């Protein structure tokens, strides 16, 4: 994708009810007749494929530059997130009320893990 | 003569590798510090949400308050992207304040929760920007390692 300046891009949220309500309260929510909303509430009944489909839809949209996702939800679709290598939209894993942030699970931070091995110190 | 040339080159390569590696570690550290800040703010936001529910009732702060599928909501907070993919938060003051969805008289805790989430968004954007820089520096480091291992083997 061409690197071009863009204004008024959205922040999307995929997370549990409190996370979504919180960010919507904060003002990131958008919904209009033509598009789907830029948020998705994930609860215990939500299937992995629903989350995956939503994530992929957000990736395809050209008006979303950041996707915030609860880390425990990200775990459900880890393989999809690991395969996302474009800078835009940026995917940021965040903690939820019940699941603290774990840096070792973060898809992006894990890229550094393979970088340094014992070989390098020779 | 050739021997000292080579060892001088090698020293320089090692120094540059050290610099790049340190820069990389710094950037990861920055991200982790910010993420920790973000986590605390989020926790505060959730606690304030719980306080509001305690005052006004369970359902007063839930997805039932969010306008339904047929409504139109305009985002208050968006991001602008420049040519280098750097993001900046932008606020639209003309749009309806989402706090209005939660009732006419909202407790202070709900307003505080809102502020917490707004700050979280700002920190999230900061993290995204540092990450972009970090990933670029990782690439540079990787390239340099390949280059330098070619030089050393000669």
């Amino acid at each position: 994708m061409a690197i071009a300046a863009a204004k008024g891009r959205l922040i999307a949220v995929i997370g549990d009810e409190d996370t979504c309500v919180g960010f919507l309260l904060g003002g990131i929510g958008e919904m209009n007749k033509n598009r789907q909303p830029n948020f998705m509430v994930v609860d215990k009944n939500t299937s992995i494929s629903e989350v995956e489909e939503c994530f992929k839809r957000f990736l395809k949209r050209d008006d979303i530059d950041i996707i915030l996702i609860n880390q425990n939800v990200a775990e459900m679709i880890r393989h999809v997130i690991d395969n996302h290598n474009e800078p835009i939209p940026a995917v940021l894993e965040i903690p939820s009320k019940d699941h603290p942030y774990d840096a070792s699970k973060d898809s992006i931070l894990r890229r550094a893990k393979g970088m340094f091995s014992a070989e390098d110190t020779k | 003569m050739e021997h000292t040339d080579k060892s001088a080159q090698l020293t320089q390569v090692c120094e540059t590798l050290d610099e790049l590696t340190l820069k990389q570690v710094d950037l990861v550290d920055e991200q982790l510090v910010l993420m920790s800040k973000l986590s605390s703010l989020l926790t505060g936001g959730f606690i304030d949400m719980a306080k509001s529910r305690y005052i006004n009732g369970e359902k007063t702060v839930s997805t039932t308050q969010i306008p339904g599928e047929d409504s139109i909501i305009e985002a208050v907070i968006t991001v602008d992207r420049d040519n280098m993919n750097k993001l900046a938060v932008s606020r639209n003051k003309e749009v309806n304040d989402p706090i209005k969805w939660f009732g006419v008289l909202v407790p202070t805790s709900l307003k505080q929760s809102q502020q917490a989430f707004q700050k979280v968004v700002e920190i999230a954007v900061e993290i995204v920007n540092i990450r972009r820089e970090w990933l670029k520096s990782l690439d540079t480091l990787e390239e340099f390692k390949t280059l330098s291992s070619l030089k050393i083997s000669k």
Side-chain angles (χ1 to χ4, degrees):
Chain A
M1 276 197 76
I3 296 179
K7 296 198 102 195
R9 288 298 186 257
L10 300 172
I11 299 169
V13 181
I14 303 178
D16 59 29
E17 178 171 1
D18 276 12
T19 302
C20 287
V21 170
F23 282 106
L24 285 169
L25 173 64
I28 61 135
E30 175 140 316
M31 200 141 66
N32 59 45
K33 291 212 171 83
N34 304 322
R35 299 282 181 86
Q36 303 283 340
N38 65 332
F39 55 92
M40 177 182 176
V41 178
V42 174
D43 57 31
K44 54 185 181 340
N45 298 320
T46 317
S47 69
I48 295 179
S49 55
E50 280 177 283
V51 179
E52 195 173 320
E53 269 166 57
C54 179
F55 183 74
K56 287 183 175 165
R57 266 201 316 268
F58 286 171
L59 285 183
K60 280 208 199 106
R61 283 173 65 160
D62 56 6
D63 59 348
I64 292 179
D65 271 17
I66 301 183
I67 301 176
L68 298 173
I69 181 168
N70 282 146
Q71 194 171 53
N72 56 308
V73 176
E75 284 288 287
M76 289 164 76
I77 56 168
R78 186 52 73 200
H79 54 290
V80 184
I81 300 185
D82 280 345
N83 284 328
H84 171 64
N85 288 317
E86 276 90 65
I88 300 286
V91 178
L92 187 65
E93 294 173 40
I94 57 174
S96 67
K97 211 171 58 172
D98 311 315
H99 297 90
Y101 178 73
D102 183 348
S104 66
K105 290 192 185 149
D106 195 307
S107 276
I108 316 243
L109 290 182
R110 277 200 314 205
R111 280 183 214 179
K113 258 195 178 174
M115 286 234 82
F116 302 102
S117 62
E119 289 294 306
D120 297 347
T121 57
K122 283 194 186 147
Chain B
M1 194 61 199
E2 205 194 285
H3 181 74
T4 42
D5 242 4
K6 234 199 150 187
S7 84
Q9 236 187 24
L10 190 57
T11 316
Q12 208 184 35
V13 164
C14 287
E15 275 177 19
T16 316
L17 268 176
D18 285 347
E19 269 173 48
L20 288 176
T21 310
L22 277 173
K23 178 175 182 205
Q24 200 269 116
V25 171
D26 273 341
L27 289 173
V28 171
D29 187 55
E30 268 188 77
Q31 287 177 60
L32 293 177
V33 166
L34 281 175
M35 187 53 92
S36 177
K37 199 170 162 194
L38 185 150
S39 291
S40 310
L41 278 169
L42 259 187
T43 306
F46 288 135
I47 291 177
D48 281 327
M49 269 171 76
K51 279 187 191 161
S52 301
R53 285 189 181 122
Y54 182 74
I55 295 172
N56 275 2
E58 263 314 301
K59 287 295 168 191
T60 57
V61 187
S62 68
T63 47
T64 55
Q65 306 297 110
I66 313 291
E69 291 252 329
D70 302 325
S71 356
I72 297 187
I73 313 176
E74 258 188 278
V76 177
I77 303 185
T78 54
V79 287
D80 294 335
R81 190 200 327 156
D82 69 11
N83 284 320
M84 298 304 293
N85 272 351
K86 185 160 180 191
L87 300 172
V89 177
S90 149
R91 286 212 194 170
N92 187 349
K93 306 232 168 86
E94 324 262 297
V95 177
N96 259 335
D97 187 345
I99 208 163
K100 296 191 184 151
W101 303 334
F102 299 91
V104 182
L105 278 174
V106 289
T108 327
S109 44
L110 195 61
K111 197 107 234 326
Q112 284 169 330
S113 180
Q114 184 181 50
Q115 283 164 356
F117 279 97
Q118 286 167 349
K119 280 205 205 100
V120 166
V121 168
E122 281 169 30
I123 296 183
V125 171
E126 256 189 273
I127 296 178
V128 165
N129 283 332
I130 292 176
R131 254 189 204 178
R132 207 193 56 257
E133 220 191 297
W134 172 63
L135 289 170
K136 261 197 267 178
S137 90
L138 268 187
D139 284 340
T140 311
L141 184 54
E142 196 55 32
E143 275 172 32
F144 200 79
K145 271 202 216 161
T146 325
L147 262 169
S148 63
S149 65
L150 288 173
K151 272 198 173 148
I152 295 171
S153 59
K154 272 195 191 136

